[in-house]
Amino acid sequence: MPALNDVIAALDALWPPERAEQWDAVGTVCGDPQAEVSRVLFAVDPVQEVADEAVRLGADLLVTHHPLYLRGTTTVAAGTFKGRVVHTLIKNDIALHVAHTNADRADPGVSDALAGALDLRVVGPLVPDPTDPAGRRGLGRICELETPETLAGLARRAAARLPATAQGIRFAGDPGRTVRTVAVCGGSGDSLFDQVRAAGVDAYLTADLRHHPASEAGQHSPLGLVDAAHWATEWPWTEQAAAQLDAISDRNGWGLRTHVSRTVTDPWAAHVASSAPDSDPTVSASSDASGAPN
């Protein structure tokens, strides 16, 4: 079995920490560098439910996309919910490693996994990394559909192929607009509207679209918008990342067992559909609220 520091070196080669945004908090949060690793769990969020899952699984390493302490801390006391995660992991000899914006910028990265889940062909990065002479790294991806479809059809594709969440899929624009090219960005993407417009794509699929940026985008151009849940757009990366570590393990003869968490950690549990004044509102929860992603 490899030592933790060997596995971390392999993960840092996939997602170099120096490529993370300056404000980010990536890397190893806890873990003994010399401890043996045989089982690894990948997840989006380092929340208590996922830590408990790692314990049940007998994992030695938990790799998450989102940081546990993005803005730093002065305590890991178990009386705080983040401190309780740290205590749970350390008591059970489980290391925690984070790959966030360094995984967003990677080749392949988070948006490649999102494009793959939607069966879109990646043409290149939406925001190229200037340090990559090959022009493959960067934020977001510009994609093409194998066969053009309507904006409503693209939204249905996202609803069918991304993990189910209470939010479901929202879209803005002409439902019948023909879509041939799509920009995608896993996670929050409304800061990239200038780059999306410059790319000249027909639609943009991302998460966490806010009122004003979305409204202004619709005034700028007929760009179609598809808004999915943040967690759902990043979950495909966990499967991609596990497959990457599997390949490294095979090359090195490590015999690692990798697992992908199917615990739904999207924070929203249900939504109430809008209705006419004389109608009764209906509560619509994810059909998979307590189960696994699709």
Side-chain angles (χ1 to χ4, degrees), residues 7-140:
V7 179
I8 297 303
L11 298 181
D12 283 347
L14 292 174
W15 315 299
E18 62 270 18
R19 291 184 187 148
E21 298 284 353
Q22 290 187 346
W23 51 261
D24 206 357
V26 302
T28 305
V29 178
C30 62
D32 179 353
Q34 302 306 316
E36 287 191 347
V37 175
S38 63
R39 195 182 296 267
V40 183
L41 177 64
F42 287 84
V44 175
D45 296 301
V47 293
Q48 189 63 45
E49 295 91 333
V50 171
D52 292 341
E53 180 182 0
V55 173
R56 294 193 301 271
L57 185 65
D60 308 296
L61 171 61
L62 170 62
V63 179
T64 65
H65 182 51
H66 290 152
L68 180 62
Y69 289 108
L70 181 58
R71 293 175 177 81
T73 187
T74 59
T75 177
V76 293
T80 65
F81 75 90
K82 292 186 177 184
R84 186 157 58 95
V85 169
V86 173
H87 278 252
T88 299
L89 295 175
I90 291 177
K91 282 182 177 180
N92 291 277
D93 296 320
I94 302 170
L96 172 61
H97 186 79
V98 174
H100 192 209
T101 54
N102 48 332
D104 289 332
R105 294 178 177 272
D107 172 34
V110 171
S111 292
D112 290 291
L114 174 58
L118 298 170
D119 199 23
L120 303 174
R121 186 175 74 85
V122 173
V123 176
L126 176 61
V127 186
D129 183 339
T131 68
D132 177 20
R136 296 178 59 87
R137 294 198 306 266
L139 294 177

Side-chain angles (χ1 to χ4, degrees), residues 9-280:
L11 298 181
D12 283 347
L14 292 174
W15 315 299
E18 62 270 18
R19 291 184 187 148
E21 298 284 353
Q22 290 187 346
W23 51 261
D24 206 357
V26 302
T28 305
V29 178
C30 62
D32 179 353
Q34 302 306 316
E36 287 191 347
V37 175
S38 63
R39 195 182 296 267
V40 183
L41 177 64
F42 287 84
V44 175
D45 296 301
V47 293
Q48 189 63 45
E49 295 91 333
V50 171
D52 292 341
E53 180 182 0
V55 173
R56 294 193 301 271
L57 185 65
D60 308 296
L61 171 61
L62 170 62
V63 179
T64 65
H65 182 51
H66 290 152
L68 180 62
Y69 289 108
L70 181 58
R71 293 175 177 81
T73 187
T74 59
T75 177
V76 293
T80 65
F81 75 90
K82 292 186 177 184
R84 186 157 58 95
V85 169
V86 173
H87 278 252
T88 299
L89 295 175
I90 291 177
K91 282 182 177 180
N92 291 277
D93 296 320
I94 302 170
L96 172 61
H97 186 79
V98 174
H100 192 209
T101 54
N102 48 332
D104 289 332
R105 294 178 177 272
D107 172 34
V110 171
S111 292
D112 290 291
L114 174 58
L118 298 170
D119 199 23
L120 303 174
R121 186 175 74 85
V122 173
V123 176
L126 176 61
V127 186
D129 183 339
T131 68
D132 177 20
R136 296 178 59 87
R137 294 198 306 266
L139 294 177
R141 292 296 183 265
I142 299 172
C143 307
E144 294 179 343
L145 280 72
E146 183 175 346
T147 303
E149 64 186 13
T150 64
L151 177 61
L154 177 63
R156 286 192 294 268
R157 176 194 294 246
R161 301 193 181 191
L162 293 180
T165 62
Q167 172 184 312
I169 304 295
R170 304 185 298 178
F171 73 93
D174 178 1
R177 173 176 168 79
T178 299
V179 176
R180 295 179 176 84
T181 56
V182 185
V184 302
C185 180
S188 302
D190 65 14
S191 65
L192 303 180
F193 271 126
D194 287 345
Q195 292 86 346
V196 171
R197 283 190 287 270
V201 293
D202 301 314
Y204 182 34
L205 189 152
T206 187
D208 296 343
L209 289 180
R210 295 169 296 161
H211 174 89
H212 291 296
S215 176
E216 291 170 5
Q219 297 299 312
H220 273 287
S221 71
L223 174 72
L225 302 179
V226 181
D227 183 39
H230 188 122
W231 172 82
T233 63
E234 293 182 329
W235 184 83
W237 172 80
T238 60
E239 290 192 320
Q240 176 180 277
Q244 289 177 280
L245 184 56
D246 279 336
I248 293 171
S249 174
D250 290 344
R251 288 198 299 271
N252 289 286
W254 286 347
L256 290 179
R257 288 164 289 178
T258 62
H259 304 263
V260 172
S261 174
R262 284 170 167 74
T263 299
V264 179
T265 56
D266 183 78
W268 305 108
H271 76 266
V272 178
S274 299
S275 57
D278 295 333
S279 302
D280 292 329

